[in-house]
Amino acid sequence: MISGKRVFTVGVYDLLHIGHVHLFRRASKLGDYLIVAVQESDVVARFKPDANLVYSTEERMYMVKAVRFVDEVVSYRDVNDIVREVDFDIFVVGPDQTHSGFKNAIQWCRDRGKEVVVLPRTEGISSSWLKEQIKNM
């Protein structure tokens, strides 16, 4: 059993970049143990058909786990399910994670006394931007 505050965040993390590392660093400072959930590839492909993932779920989990700020990595299909399955105290989301699934998950957290923290994105970097830069090289 992990003592202290458990922090939890979710995402795709396909092209791991400095913005992701900043997110993990900032999230880890909110508690004592950081859990990151990586969305499974088939779900990403279904809901974001233009995403064109580079890495498999397992590869993305491996890369995220290699970041020193991350203590544990799990995979997930739906944010509404994973918030009910993982033991955590603080749910960290980004300002762009606003679709109905996130709204429901955030409400579920608040109804159970879990803290919800919105961390801003790192300006000037995103996976979409990075893919565009690579394509134009």
Side-chain angles (χ1 to χ4, degrees):
M1 181 76 177
I2 305 299
S3 62
K5 293 239 181 209
R6 295 168 60 92
V7 182
F8 181 55
T9 193
V10 303
V12 176
Y13 312 115
D14 186 37
L15 291 180
L16 196 62
H17 56 68
I18 192 73
H20 295 135
V21 176
H22 284 314
L23 166 66
F24 300 149
R25 180 185 52 79
R26 291 181 298 177
S28 72
K29 288 183 176 185
L30 297 172
D32 304 294
Y33 190 84
L34 177 60
I35 306 159
V36 178
V38 174
Q39 193 165 41
E40 294 185 16
S41 296
D42 65 319
V43 177
V44 176
R46 185 172 52 222
F47 291 106
K48 296 180 182 178
D50 296 335
N52 296 321
L53 293 177
V54 175
Y55 295 105
S56 70
T57 304
E58 294 76 18
E59 290 167 327
R60 291 181 286 123
M61 290 176 69
Y62 178 78
M63 289 187 293
V64 169
K65 180 64 177 132
V67 176
R68 71 182 177 130
F69 305 109
V70 177
D71 296 297
E72 182 180 342
V73 179
V74 298
S75 67
Y76 79 103
R77 298 186 67 73
D78 183 278
V79 69
N80 284 310
D81 295 333
I82 197 67
V83 294
R84 291 164 170 81
E85 296 166 6
V86 172
D87 179 25
F88 66 94
D89 304 293
I90 302 168
F91 187 38
V92 174
V93 297
D96 57 338
Q97 292 174 313
T98 57
H99 66 68
S100 63
F102 273 96
K103 288 178 183 175
N104 293 336
I106 289 168
Q107 189 59 53
W108 183 90
C109 290
R110 290 188 172 136
D111 290 347
R112 282 146 187 84
K114 296 181 184 292
E115 186 178 351
V116 176
V117 175
V118 179
L119 290 180
R121 294 179 62 91
T122 301
E123 290 200 31
I125 186 75
S126 71
S127 295
S128 300
W129 177 85
L130 191 55
K131 286 180 182 180
E132 192 63 30
Q133 297 305 305
I134 292 168
K135 187 169 81 174
N136 291 329
M137 292 179 106

